[in-house]
């Protein structure tokens, strides 16, 4: 593996400090196994999967809080069937003390199940702050979205961040994961050029089997050309191997300039591997002297 440059080593610390993780509602046992490796207060996003019921998601949010971390439940706009269903979810989160931070997303269904056709509709419902939400995360797509045109994506970021400020809510962007730091950094500069100053968490794939990573990349429309795959550290001839984000994080740190990119942190997509990801982060910080 390539050794990090001096610039990379010195710039990694602010990126890795206060990183966040992602889990599903069914990952409570995995979270408990990894808890000693995760810094107290770490933000842990809880995905909104169609095959998990609200009780599963709520239990996961409670577990995150119980273990000393900050739960960030996802709310999928197009999966909600009605305004009362959204209110019921928000009321339950508030009752559990897990409503401070949420992440709003349009979701997978092409046709909305109810009145909310995208994340902006959730923000404009006025219900988030009414039920105690203080911070709202939104999505960013440095390499574009397979079914949404770029002008629509840009308008969405501008409108969502503007409306969050209008409603008195703090906001932040979490990007889709990628394997090449260059387009991510270029996209972040474009975000800042549009006057969007909220913190950005760069999506990073946690260490996992190469075949598994490639499968997720294909599912989410992430670029995986041969040159990118080689740069990230994949071995095309050995899809049974594993890959970690060392090279990606070093490249991101090398190109990071706070004056141009603003506040950046890392958000790890764990793909069910909470403990390997937490261990990688702890080991990486030790190797970097952080």
């Amino acid at each position: 593996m390539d050794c990090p440059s001096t610039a990379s080593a010195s710039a990694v610390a602010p990126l890795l400090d206060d990183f966040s993780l992602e889990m599903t509602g069914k990952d409570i046992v995995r979270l408990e196994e990894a808890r000693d490796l995760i810094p107290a207060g770490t933000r842990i996003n809880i995905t909104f999967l169609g095959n998990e019921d609200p009780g599963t998601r709520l239990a996961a949010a409670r577990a995150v809080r119980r273990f000393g971390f900050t739960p960030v439940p996802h709310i999928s706009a197009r999966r909600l069937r009605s305004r009362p269903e959204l209110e019921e979810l928000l009321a339950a989160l508030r009752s559990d003390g897990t409503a401070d931070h949420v992440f709003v997303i349009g979701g997978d269904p092409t046709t909305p199940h109810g009145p909310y056709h995208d994340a902006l509709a959730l923000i404009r419902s006025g219900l988030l702050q009414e039920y105690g939400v203080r911070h709202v995360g939104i999505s960013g797509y440095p390499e574009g979205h397979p079914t949404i045109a770029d002008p629509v994506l840009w308008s969405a970021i501008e409108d969502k961040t503007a409306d969050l400020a209008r409603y008195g809510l703090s906001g932040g962007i979490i990007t889709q994961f990628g394997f090449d730091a260059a387009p991510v950094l270029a996209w972040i500069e474009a975000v800042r050029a549009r006057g969007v100053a909220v913190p950005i968490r760069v999506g990073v794939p946690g260490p996992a089997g190469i075949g598994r990573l490639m499968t997720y990349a294909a599912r989410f429309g992430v670029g995986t050309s041969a040159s990118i795959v080689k740069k990230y550290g994949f071995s095309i001839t050995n899809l049974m191997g594993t890959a970690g984000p060392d090279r990606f994080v070093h490249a991101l740190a090398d190109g990071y300039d706070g004056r141009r990119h603003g506040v950046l942190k890392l958000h790890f997509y764990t793909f069910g591997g909470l403990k390997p990801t937490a261990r990688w982060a702890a080991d990486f910080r030790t190797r970097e002297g952080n």
Side-chain angles (χ1 to χ4, degrees), residues 12-13 19 21 36 38 49 52 59 79 95 123-124 126 133 135 137 149 167 186 190 211 218-219 223 240-241 266 268:
V12 164
F19 66 84
L21 297 164
D36 292 340
I38 304 172
L49 299 180
E52 294 180 351
R79 290 192 182 278
S95 177
I123 295 169
R124 289 177 172 172
V133 174
H135 180 90
Y167 284 114
R219 182 183 304 175
M240 297 300 290
L266 302 183
F268 290 98

Side-chain angles (χ1 to χ4, degrees), residues 19 21 30-31 34-44 67 69 274-275 278:
F19 66 84
L21 297 164
R30 292 188 177 99
L31 178 62
R35 61 187 295 190
D36 292 340
L37 295 167
I38 304 172
T42 296
R43 299 185 189 199
I44 299 183
F67 294 151
F69 309 121
L274 275 164
K275 189 170 184 178

Side-chain angles (χ1 to χ4, degrees), residues 58 61-66 69-73 89-101 131-134:
L58 291 169
R62 289 193 297 270
V64 170
R65 183 172 181 266
R66 185 170 68 251
F69 309 121
T70 301
V72 186
L89 173 61
L90 291 171
L93 292 173
R94 181 176 63 182
S95 177
D96 290 341
T98 57
D100 284 1
H101 297 73
Y131 282 88
V133 174
R134 297 185 300 108

Side-chain angles (χ1 to χ4, degrees), residues 47-185:
T47 58
F48 195 114
L49 299 180
N51 60 356
E52 294 180 351
D53 59 32
T56 301
R57 301 182 200 106
L58 291 169
R62 289 193 297 270
V64 170
R65 183 172 181 266
R66 185 170 68 251
F67 294 151
F69 309 121
T70 301
V72 186
H74 287 204
I75 303 178
S76 177
R78 287 190 286 273
R79 290 192 182 278
L80 294 167
R81 293 166 295 183
S82 66
R83 181 182 176 95
E85 182 178 7
L86 173 58
E87 291 199 73
E88 182 179 354
L89 173 61
L90 291 171
L93 292 173
R94 181 176 63 182
S95 177
D96 290 341
T98 57
D100 284 1
H101 297 73
V102 301
F103 182 84
V104 295
I105 192 168
D108 293 333
T110 303
T111 302
H113 295 173
Y116 306 109
H117 60 281
D118 57 19
L120 186 60
L122 292 178
I123 295 169
R124 289 177 172 172
S125 72
L127 292 174
L128 300 180
Q129 64 272 28
E130 182 178 328
Y131 282 88
V133 174
R134 297 185 300 108
H135 180 90
V136 178
I138 61 174
S139 296
Y141 299 92
E143 296 184 65
H145 190 284
T147 62
I148 304 175
D150 283 350
V152 177
L153 292 174
W154 283 121
S155 293
I157 282 184
E158 293 170 340
D159 291 345
K160 283 184 280 191
T161 52
D163 275 18
L164 287 173
R166 183 162 65 89
Y167 284 114
L169 295 163
S170 65
I173 298 170
I174 297 179
T175 75
Q176 180 56 274
F177 70 86
F179 301 118
D180 188 357
V184 173
L185 290 167

Side-chain angles (χ1 to χ4, degrees), residues 214-231:
M214 296 286 277
T215 297
Y216 274 99
R219 182 183 304 175
F220 293 108
V222 175
T224 54
S225 71
S227 61
I228 292 173
V229 163
K230 183 178 180 180
K231 184 186 297 184

Side-chain angles (χ1 to χ4, degrees), residues 187-228:
W187 178 85
I188 292 169
E189 281 199 68
V191 170
R192 301 312 188 199
R194 291 170 182 267
V196 177
V198 300
I200 295 176
R201 291 179 175 269
V202 176
V204 179
I210 293 171
R212 185 177 181 84
L213 288 172
M214 296 286 277
T215 297
Y216 274 99
R219 182 183 304 175
F220 293 108
V222 175
T224 54
S225 71
S227 61
I228 292 173

